[in-house]
Structures are given as structure tokens and as C-alpha cells.
Amino acid sequence: MITIQRQIPVKLILTEQSRERLRHEYEAQIRQVQEELRQWEFYSKRLLHEAQGKSQAARQQAEERIAREEKNRREKLERIQFQLEQSQQLPIGSELPYTTVQSSVQVQIGDNWNDIMTGTEIIVKDGIVHAIRQGGERNGTNELLYGGQAGEHPRSQG
């Protein structure tokens, strides 16, 4: 038997409190990316100026890098803005992907690899772990490992 690491998705149950917290987080990320864009514009002018004195190929390479970096930052900004919009429009009670965490799991000969590597997720509501599910999406094949009802604590269950 060996122990390996796997990724576990964490989802938020959207509440008014979590919606407001997400709004603040996304707005901070938007400001950060906008600042990165401003810094990149300044740096790209310097990069282009340095490339002017070099070969045509060096100038073209600098222009391509500038365009690629700017495109990446603008796409990142658009993704965050979309996430902000979605978080404000989704109904209360919706489950949103939030982050991913690492988990250790023991593996031995004969284990089903797909069962080990997929399907487990942590559900958080207002900063409290609400449920840990095996089986992924909410459907008839879900196995609820812990949690479920508000106020229940897995350690208090017999």
C-alpha cells in the first residue's frame, strides 16, 4: 500500500454572505489584474524601445511577446469579470466551484483507480464544511460521506 496526493474540488453553497465575500474577492482580483496591465504597458514600451535598435526579427519577437502577454492578461480580466457577474446572478443555494485542495489517499493493488481519483468533493457554506461527497455531482449515485443538514456535525453522528 502507498499514499498518493489527489486534487479535491471545493464548492461553495451560495448564500447572501458568500455572495458578498465573492464580490469583494473578485473586485480585488480585477483591480490587481488592471494594475498588472498598466505595469505591462509601461514595461512593453521599454521592451519595444530596446528592440528598436536591434534586428527586425528582435523587434518582431518583442511585438509578439507584448501582444501575447497583453492578450493573456485581458483574458484573465474577462474571466474574473464573468465570474463576478455569475456570482451575482446565480440563485441562493447554487453550488459554485471555489478552489481545489490536496488530499492524501492510500492506494493498494486491486483498488479502482477512477474511484480513487474522481468524485470526492467538499461543500462549504458560509465558511463551514457542510458536506463531503463521494461521487461528484448531486444525483442518485452520490454517497454522502459526512454532513448534509445545517447544524449537523459529523463528529456528533453515531
Side-chain angles (χ1 to χ4, degrees), residues 11 95 118-121 133-139 142-143:
K11 293 182 178 181
E95 289 184 7
T118 59
T120 301
E121 58 186 18
R133 293 190 194 124
Q134 181 68 41
E137 298 298 319
R138 282 196 281 189
N139 60 33
N142 250 2
E143 177 186 351

Side-chain angles (χ1 to χ4, degrees), residues 22 25 55 70 73 86 95 112 134 138 141 149:
L22 283 172
E25 287 179 18
S55 69
E70 186 174 324
R73 285 175 173 81
Q86 288 296 102
E95 289 184 7
N112 184 314
Q134 181 68 41
R138 282 196 281 189
T141 63
Q149 298 300 316

Side-chain angles (χ1 to χ4, degrees), residues 100-118:
T100 304
V101 295
Q102 291 278 331
S103 170
S104 297
V105 64
Q106 292 185 344
V107 179
Q108 61 187 8
I109 295 171
D111 285 347
N112 184 314
W113 183 254
N114 291 331
D115 289 347
I116 291 169
M117 296 306 291
T118 59

